[in-house]
């Protein structure tokens, strides 16, 4: 374990640390995935389950990742290895996490590429005036052609540019700049939404839960979404916490992150659903909601292309602060364990990301015949990472921090060596030891049909 005087980079300010952490959490998960999952799973009931999972599992797991990260000030392998005497036996989990983070980046950057394309098309006005079937054709054309590949690569190059700057000059600076921009864009779009005729219907859909709709698929969906949206179970938050300075209070940062992340997701719902209802579209469109329904919705609005451009810019901003955090998992590993320079580590990580992302991008067109279990490469990666890798890694982290890491270590991190109290310590430990593992296991077994 090293201390604050080591040469390792740390975020320069407390606010920068929070901006980066919230930046990692807030992403396509909030603005693309949350609304469509809510739409597919019937609205308010899904949101109610989601909020319960965020508080019950999300905040404790965030704390667990923060403890591992700041306690060891190390990449994800070191975080397991150095946090307990038996930690060496757990480093296998670290490798799994690194691999899954790269796999998430593969499909995530393809979607981020689409947002780039749509922002461009809104600014040039090329999607203006299209009706919904024309928009669907446009989306189809974009995802099946080579443009998909170009957009993905452009996005990953921008991602690499931020990462090359390093922890403070790259990640922290970009987060400090982009997160306020993200909140301004969100507010502008929300205000627009308040003036729409479908406001009441949209709000009822979002905030009037019909609890009879809750079933296993709603629960699994809500849990997967909570993990994905909070960036947990992937070591992302562990790596970021390894750059926290001594002043960052872990419990508070976890709560702030969870609250802001949930707020953004709900605001995204407030932006999207009133608009969808105003122009008579269905909310149950699934992943295409943001790319096929929304542009058509914007097309019906006065000044629609401006709103559309703002919306897709919002998505780009949100995505890049998230992909940066995913890439940092492998970069910190290459730097610290394989002793590479920051530059080479960033290049290697970006090349790996591009190689897989291009295959993923092509899985809609030229490679669409290549399927595993009936799923294209893209669907497979989304399914395997969100429904298997994240819960399994979440399970490992909760068991590891709950049962294996010494109490002295966890307490030291949560209270900064006793300088302030952490009254919920007992509750946190109980949740990590029992509630998280049991909840994750039950929902997981049910999802793969074993229960
Ligand atoms: N949380 C991000 C989002 O909502 C995505 C993300 C970033 C992520 N890092 C992660 C998801 C690590 C899982 C694991 O878009």
């Amino acid at each position: 374990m090293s201390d604050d005087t080591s040469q390792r980079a740390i975020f320069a300010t407390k606010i920068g640390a929070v901006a980066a952490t919230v930046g990692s959490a807030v992403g396509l998960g909030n603005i693309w995935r949350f609304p469509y999952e809510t739409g597919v799973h019937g609205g308010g009931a899904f949101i109610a389950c989601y909020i319960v999972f965020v508080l019950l599992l999300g905040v404790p797991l965030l704390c667990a990742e923060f403890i591992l990260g700041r306690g060891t000030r190390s990449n994800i392998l070191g975080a397991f290895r150095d946090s307990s005497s038996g930690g060496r036996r757990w480093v296998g989990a670290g490798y799994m996490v690194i691999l899954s983070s790269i796999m998430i980046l593969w499909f995530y950057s393809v979607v981020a590429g689409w947002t780039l394309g749509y922002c461009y098309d809104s600014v040039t006005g090329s999607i203006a005036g299209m009706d919904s079937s024309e928009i669907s054709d446009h989306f189809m054309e974009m995802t099946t052609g080579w443009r998909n590949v170009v957009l993905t690569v452009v996005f990953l190059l921008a991602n690499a540019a931020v990462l090359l700057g390093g922890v403070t000059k790259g990640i922290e600076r970009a987060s400090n700049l982009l997160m306020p921009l993200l909140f301004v864009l969100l507010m502008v779009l929300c205000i627009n939404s308040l003036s729409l005729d479908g406001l009441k219907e949209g709000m009822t859909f979002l905030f009037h839960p019909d609890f009879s709709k809750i079933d296993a698929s709603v629960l699994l969906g809500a849990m997967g979404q909570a993990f994905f949206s909070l960036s947990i179970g992937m070591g992302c938050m562990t790596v970021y916490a390894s750059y926290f300075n001594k002043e960052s209070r872990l419990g508070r940062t976890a709560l702030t992150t969870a609250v802001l992340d949930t707020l953004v997701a709900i605001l995204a719902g407030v932006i999207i659903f009133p608009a969808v209802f105003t122009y008579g579209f269905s909310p149950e469109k699934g992943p295409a909601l943001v790319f096929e329904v929304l542009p058509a919705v914007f097309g019906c609005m006065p000044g629609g292309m401006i709103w559309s451009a703002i919306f897709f810019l919002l998505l780009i901003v949100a995505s890049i602060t998230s992909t940066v955090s995913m890439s940092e998992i492998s970069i910190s590993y290459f730097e610290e364990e394989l002793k590479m320079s920051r530059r080479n580590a960033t290049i290697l990580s970006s090349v790996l990301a591009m190689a897989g992302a291009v295959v993923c991008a092509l899985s809609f067109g030229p490679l669409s015949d290549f399927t595993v279990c009936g799923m294209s490469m893209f669907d497979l990666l989304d399914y395997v990472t969100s429904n298997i890798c994240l819960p399994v890694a979440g399970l490992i982290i909760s068991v590891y921090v709950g049962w294996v890491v010494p109490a002295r270590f966890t307490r030291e991190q949560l209270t900064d060596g006793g300088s302030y109290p952490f009254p919920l310590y007992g509750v946190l430990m109980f949740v990590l030891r029992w509630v998280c593992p049991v909840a994750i296991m039950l929902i997981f077994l049910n999802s793969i049909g074993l229960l």
Side-chain angles (χ1 to χ4, degrees):
M1 206 190 310
S2 49
D3 59 30
D4 274 0
T5 53
S6 70
Q7 290 303 304
R8 200 165 185 274
I10 52 174
F11 291 127
T13 60
K14 212 158 99 179
I15 188 97
V18 173
T21 311
V22 175
S24 166
V26 171
L28 292 171
N30 305 59
I31 307 167
W32 165 65
R33 207 169 183 281
F34 178 82
Y36 87 65
E37 287 276 332
T38 304
V40 170
H41 293 301
F46 175 83
I47 298 186
C49 297
Y50 175 76
I51 292 177
V52 170
F53 281 126
V54 165
L55 294 175
L56 189 72
L57 307 180
V59 176
L61 279 167
L62 272 179
C63 288
E65 291 211 17
F66 286 170
I67 290 169
L68 285 183
R70 205 192 42 189
T72 57
R73 294 213 181 287
S74 176
N75 65 86
I76 189 70
L77 277 200
F80 279 104
R81 192 181 50 214
D82 302 341
S83 48
S84 74
S85 52
R88 286 196 173 276
R89 272 179 265 136
W90 292 74
V91 294
Y95 285 112
M96 179 188 110
V97 161
I98 294 173
L99 206 69
S100 332
S101 71
I102 297 177
M103 289 186 341
I104 293 196
L105 193 54
W106 285 346
F107 75 88
Y108 200 96
S109 41
V110 174
V111 182
W114 300 340
T115 67
L116 266 185
Y118 270 86
C119 188
Y120 180 81
D121 293 341
S122 310
V123 172
T124 60
S126 66
I127 50 171
M130 285 190 181
D131 63 23
S132 57
S133 78
E134 287 165 330
I135 298 266
S136 294
D137 290 345
H138 175 81
F139 184 54
M140 183 78 157
E141 217 171 279
M142 181 154 110
T143 51
T144 50
W146 283 94
R147 190 175 176 215
N148 204 6
V149 175
V150 176
L151 290 168
T152 306
V153 170
V154 169
F155 181 83
L156 282 171
L157 287 174
N159 182 53
V162 174
L163 286 158
L164 272 179
V167 174
T168 29
K169 296 218 177 73
I171 300 176
E172 187 173 1
R173 196 191 276 173
S175 309
N176 280 339
L177 202 82
L178 294 176
M179 292 321 284
L181 175 66
L182 180 126
F183 276 91
V184 171
L185 296 177
L186 262 179
M187 287 306 137
V188 171
L189 288 163
C190 271
I191 292 169
N192 175 48
S193 190
L194 296 181
S195 67
L196 297 174
D197 297 338
L199 179 66
K200 195 153 166 269
E201 206 181 336
M203 290 302 189
T204 310
F205 181 73
L206 282 174
F207 300 117
H208 257 270
D210 169 1
F211 289 110
S212 66
K213 288 192 174 147
I214 298 179
D215 59 13
S217 89
V218 171
L219 289 175
L220 179 72
M223 184 179 76
Q225 176 60 25
F227 276 49
F228 189 89
S229 190
L230 292 175
S231 311
I232 43 185
M234 199 49 63
C236 232
M237 292 306 190
T238 309
V239 172
Y240 268 18
S242 75
Y243 303 134
F244 285 1
N245 60 24
K246 274 193 90 164
E247 276 85 61
S248 292
R249 289 194 179 196
L250 302 189
R252 254 188 216 181
T253 312
L255 198 62
T256 312
T257 308
V259 168
L260 288 178
D261 185 70
T262 305
L263 186 74
V264 174
I266 290 178
L267 289 180
V270 170
I271 291 169
I272 292 172
F273 291 109
V276 167
F277 287 117
T278 303
Y279 299 104
F281 289 93
S282 154
E284 288 154 21
K285 186 77 185 174
L289 180 68
V290 159
F291 296 104
E292 287 185 29
V293 178
L294 264 201
V297 167
F298 285 128
C300 304
M301 270 181 203
M305 282 308 107
I306 300 176
W307 299 116
S308 177
I310 298 178
F311 179 80
F312 286 106
L313 179 64
L314 172 73
L315 273 169
I316 298 172
V317 169
S319 315
I320 198 154
T321 50
S322 297
T323 49
V324 159
S325 73
M326 285 176 215
S327 315
E328 188 63 22
I329 303 175
S330 49
I331 293 179
S332 58
Y333 163 74
F334 294 147
E335 266 188 285
E336 291 168 14
E337 303 290 325
L338 307 185
K339 308 287 176 230
M340 287 186 180
S341 66
R342 173 93 199 169
R343 189 168 150 268
N344 288 348
T346 310
I347 294 174
L348 177 58
S349 154
S350 303
V351 168
L352 285 177
M354 277 181 204
V358 166
V359 175
C360 217
L362 291 173
S363 74
F364 293 91
L367 295 182
S368 58
D369 290 338
F370 175 74
T371 57
V372 180
C373 306
M375 286 188 262
S376 70
M377 176 76 176
F378 180 93
D379 294 335
L380 183 74
L381 285 172
D382 185 8
Y383 183 84
V384 169
T385 51
S386 311
N387 293 329
I388 300 176
C389 297
L390 295 185
V392 169
L395 182 72
I396 293 176
I397 290 173
S398 65
V399 169
Y400 180 66
V401 176
W403 294 96
V404 183
V405 174
R408 197 169 27 84
F409 186 95
T410 37
R411 234 180 235 284
E412 154 96 24
Q413 289 308 315
L414 290 167
T415 61
D416 186 19
S419 20
Y420 43 79
F422 188 82
L424 295 176
Y425 184 78
V427 179
L428 176 69
M429 280 301 137
F430 178 77
V431 172
L432 288 177
R433 287 181 166 189
W434 298 103
V435 183
C436 286
V438 171
I440 298 173
M441 283 298 273
L442 283 181
I443 297 176
F444 182 65
L445 290 180
N446 186 300
S447 77
I448 53 175
L450 288 180
L451 205 71

